[in-house]
Amino acid sequence: MTTKTARLISEVTARIQARSAATRERYLAQVAQLAGRKRGVERMGCANVAHAFAAMPANDKLRIVAEKAPHLGIVTAYNDMLSAHQPYEHYPELIRAEAHAQGATVQVAGGTPAMCDGVTQGLPGMELSLFSRDSIAMSTAIALSHDVFDGALLLGICDKIVPGLLIGALHFGHLPCVFVPAGPMSSGISNSEKAKVRERYALGLVGREELLKSESAAYHGAGTCTFYGTANSNQMLLEAMGLHLPGAAFVHPQDDLREQLTRAAVRQALSITAKGNYTPIGRLVDERCIVNAMVALLATGGSTNHLIHWVAVARSAGILIDWTDFSELSAAVPLLARVYPNGSADVNQFQAAGGPGFVIRELLQAGLMHEDVLTVSGPSLQAYGRVPSLAADGKPQWQALPEGSSDEGVVRTAAAPFSASGGLKLLAGNLGRAVIKVSAVPEDRHVIEAPARIFTDQESMQAAFKAGELDRDVVVVVRFQGPQANGMPELHKLTPPLAVLQGKGFKVALVTDGRMSGASGKVPAAIHVSPEALAGGPLARLRDGDLVRMDAVSGELQALVPEAEWAQRELATIAPEQQAENGAGLGRELFAGLRRNVKSAEEGAITWL
């Protein structure tokens, strides 16, 4: 890796630090002010204290009040609708037992909602998905608002849950916090086989029974889904930020190591609440930490959702980042992992090949990550380049990885990467600003120029596909899918038909102000187009038949329409009855205020500023 490349990481970090100077200073001042107070039981009134601990055993009350033992809060996203969160059911008992063994106490501070995008794909519930992140952040704040805790353990894994928990925790930046993962499910059928069945179903070659059999063989047990989507990208980023115990992300839920890592997380949380080792999350998550997360995302071809979520996460700590930062980092960061959808391996194979530890070690050695940062495990990221195992005494130990890759089809060294640049790119032009995940897209599809066919919902596009109207070179445009319009749903129902068209040899691309997330695959897709159509973005100027150029090489997203004509065009609008339907039924009315107040995708789709 060249010195010039490593220098760029420092330059981007310095730019972020300069841009964030005022907001970060205000944030840290608030962290310091809150950290300087007396402990909760010492500053609260007697009635407040009595209410807080009324249901606790007498011995625990004695520990907290008289012995001044450390007291941890658990914020849990447990439910058994999400396979990834089902293992959390008994974690509070385990955490409480370990805390007692260490002379400390624990309470479940509260729960957060956690929805599964896999269940709501293509359905009205998906319109609540993005906003669930800020609902989770607010419920995390409610859980911690009792203000009696010395630290917190955060239990959550999936798409919006980790960003929501992290945003909420950063608004309590004076608290030391440790994230506690639960691990991925066992491997089922391969992701490529699953995709083939979906495409055959889209062509009408197989029926619902065969499709359901395939899907059930892929999603079949407790743990996260095994493709490298938003949930597993979350875990990679938390490792890179030092918010897990090192290597905790992808240990199976039923592995003996998993329980021991959870117990060790309790001990570590207690350690960083101590005066000599006090590590509040608001100080830990600094500009260098955020850049480390961005680099890890790019080096692994992770979820495009994080170009929205980590803007919001950073803002919660007073740090200002944008898509230009991501784009410049992407040009310098090599792609070190191929995990489905940008490869054939699943996360269990990724873990077996070295997983996050291998990637972080390589990035550190290449000078592409900041090593001298705070983590929950100490003042260096170096430990996150190692992997955990069980020692003879049954407790976790961390070991170095072999120098080379054990499976070069899954992970590679920084000296011999899959590609010299990361998997995400910024697109800009007269259609606005967008992002594209190119790590899974064949190189001969990085530039697409074709006539536009415009839709305002997924169902209309699928109907046109089934009618054969899209059997040609085409740029499919699905607009009025942004945060203000309908909550910016993920549009994965479009992937199988688009893949079929591409498989027929047509030049095909997608342009949308909606999302495709970490499961976006081999079809080139310009997503998160900002400003969105409903907010007067230029995507609303586009008309059927306009020639559109999407160029992931030059970073261009352009309607090839004469400039004077383009400037004079009126903005298309969505039919009032369709817009009304977008916000009606199944709880969507409750989120109307969030749709009115939400920032753009590039601003993190934040609803609380």
Side-chain angles (χ1 to χ4, degrees):
M1 198 60 55
T2 66
T3 304
K4 180 181 177 182
T5 303
R7 189 186 307 127
L8 178 62
I9 306 300
S10 297
E11 289 172 355
V12 172
T13 304
R15 185 175 68 211
I16 293 170
Q17 288 171 330
R19 183 194 301 142
S20 308
T23 50
R24 180 66 175 167
E25 183 180 7
R26 287 195 298 271
Y27 177 81
L28 289 175
Q30 183 181 62
V31 169
Q33 184 269 321
L34 292 171
R37 302 174 302 162
K38 292 181 179 180
R39 293 180 66 240
V41 294
E42 296 169 27
R43 68 173 182 272
M44 296 169 69
C46 292
N48 305 90
V49 173
H51 275 287
F53 308 125
M56 294 187 77
N59 285 344
D60 281 357
K61 293 178 185 179
L62 178 66
R63 283 180 174 179
I64 295 171
V65 177
E67 298 176 2
K68 299 183 180 180
H71 185 51
L72 300 179
I74 299 172
V75 182
T76 178
Y78 163 73
N79 67 51
D80 57 14
M81 170 63 73
L82 276 73
S83 61
H85 289 187
Q86 186 272 344
Y88 283 137
E89 181 174 6
H90 299 294
Y91 272 45
E93 300 167 24
L94 177 64
I95 291 167
R96 193 174 289 115
E98 184 62 33
H100 282 163
Q102 304 302 320
T105 54
V106 171
Q107 283 177 302
V108 174
T112 71
M115 62 181 291
C116 178
D117 290 357
V119 174
T120 57
Q121 285 291 346
L123 301 173
M126 177 53 77
E127 294 180 13
L128 307 186
S129 172
L130 179 60
F131 292 143
S132 76
R133 182 199 71 195
D134 287 8
S135 298
I136 291 161
M138 288 185 281
S139 61
T140 300
I142 291 169
L144 297 176
S145 67
H146 298 104
D147 205 17
V148 298
F149 304 108
D150 299 305
L153 296 166
L154 304 170
L155 278 55
I157 294 175
C158 288
D159 296 16
K160 264 62 65 183
I161 293 90
V162 162
L165 287 168
L166 187 46
I167 290 167
L170 285 167
H171 283 84
F172 286 75
H174 62 291
L175 289 178
C177 296
V178 177
F179 278 78
V180 183
M185 70 175 68
S186 303
S187 300
I189 66 166
S190 71
N191 287 294
S192 58
E193 181 59 30
K194 176 186 67 178
K196 288 177 185 177
V197 176
R198 287 179 176 178
E199 290 176 22
R200 287 172 59 79
Y201 180 77
L203 287 167
L205 299 177
V206 299
R208 180 180 172 85
E209 183 177 351
E210 187 167 342
L211 178 64
L212 179 58
K213 182 180 178 181
S214 169
E215 298 291 341
S216 298
Y219 309 112
H220 60 88
T224 57
C225 306
T226 59
F227 64 88
Y228 194 53
T230 307
N232 288 320
S233 296
N234 281 336
Q235 302 308 293
M236 181 71 217
L237 269 60
L238 289 179
E239 294 270 346
M241 294 173 77
L243 287 168
H244 279 164
L245 287 191
F250 299 130
V251 175
H252 191 273
Q254 274 77 55
D255 193 309
D256 290 343
L257 178 59
R258 170 56 64 202
E259 177 180 335
Q260 294 307 318
L261 285 169
T262 300
R263 289 183 178 275
V266 179
R267 296 192 295 271
Q268 199 61 32
L270 292 170
S271 170
I272 61 176
T273 64
K275 288 183 179 180
N277 199 29
Y278 173 61
T279 311
I281 191 171
R283 284 182 50 217
L284 187 159
V285 178
D286 64 8
E287 296 91 341
R288 298 167 303 161
C289 177
I290 291 292
V291 169
N292 282 349
M294 297 163 75
V295 168
L297 179 73
L298 296 164
T300 54
S303 170
T304 54
N305 272 334
H306 292 315
L307 276 78
I308 300 174
H309 295 324
W310 251 249
V311 173
V313 166
R315 187 65 181 82
S316 300
I319 300 165
L320 308 179
I321 61 174
D322 59 30
W323 289 351
T324 299
D325 298 326
F326 276 103
S327 183
E328 291 189 14
L329 289 172
S330 184
V333 174
L335 184 66
L336 302 186
R338 284 208 177 276
V339 190
Y340 187 86
N342 77 342
S344 60
D346 68 11
V347 294
N348 292 312
Q349 292 168 285
F350 175 50
Q351 175 74 358
F358 183 93
V359 172
I360 291 171
R361 184 198 67 188
E362 289 297 308
L363 292 169
L364 285 172
Q365 289 181 353
L368 295 176
M369 295 182 89
H370 299 283
E371 180 180 337
D372 58 335
V373 293
L374 292 174
T375 76
V376 300
S377 293
S380 170
L381 196 62
Q382 194 68 40
Y384 290 81
R386 301 167 73 87
V387 293
S389 63
L390 285 178
D393 63 0
K395 292 184 178 179
Q397 62 181 359
W398 281 265
Q399 299 170 312
L401 284 154
E403 283 302 313
S405 171
S406 64
D407 188 342
E408 291 199 345
V410 182
V411 293
R412 291 189 183 175
T413 65
F418 289 102
S419 67
S421 59
L424 297 168
K425 292 205 69 170
L426 173 66
L427 302 176
N430 65 3
L431 285 172
R433 284 162 67 90
V435 295
I436 182 171
K437 183 175 178 177
V438 294
S439 53
V441 177
E443 287 191 10
D444 63 351
R445 301 284 170 162
H446 284 192
V447 180
I448 301 290
E449 189 174 300
R453 177 65 190 276
I454 299 172
F455 303 94
T456 58
D457 55 58
Q458 295 183 86
E459 292 74 21
S460 298
M461 181 274 180
Q462 289 175 313
F465 167 77
K466 290 176 182 177
E469 298 172 12
L470 302 179
D471 284 356
R472 54 185 172 83
D473 291 351
V474 62
V475 173
V476 172
V477 178
V478 185
R479 63 191 180 193
F480 298 105
Q481 301 296 308
Q484 291 184 29
N486 62 352
M488 204 180 187
E490 292 177 353
L491 305 174
H492 287 309
K493 293 292 185 182
L494 304 180
T495 300
L498 289 170
V500 167
L501 295 172
Q502 184 169 273
K504 290 181 177 181
F506 297 120
K507 294 179 180 179
V508 181
L510 173 69
V511 176
T512 181
D513 47 11
R515 295 183 295 131
M516 289 292 282
S517 93
S520 54
K522 60 187 178 182
V523 176
I527 58 178
H528 308 173
V529 176
S530 297
E532 64 176 284
L534 191 70
L539 199 61
R541 297 183 190 275
L542 204 60
R543 301 290 183 264
D544 276 329
D546 286 344
L547 199 62
V548 172
R549 180 176 178 83
M550 178 198 298
D551 188 335
V553 179
S554 66
E556 180 183 3
L557 181 62
Q558 197 82 4
L560 303 182
V561 177
E563 188 175 342
E565 178 187 345
W566 185 252
Q568 292 174 1
R569 278 192 184 172
E570 292 185 3
L571 298 173
T573 58
I574 192 169
E577 59 271 17
Q578 183 174 350
Q579 182 59 30
E581 183 181 339
N582 284 345
L586 295 174
R588 288 177 288 177
E589 301 91 340
L590 296 171
F591 291 75
L594 301 186
R595 288 194 296 272
R596 285 193 296 269
N597 294 325
V598 67
K599 301 290 186 181
S600 71
E602 186 166 8
E603 296 171 291
I606 290 168
T607 63
W608 37 267
L609 281 180

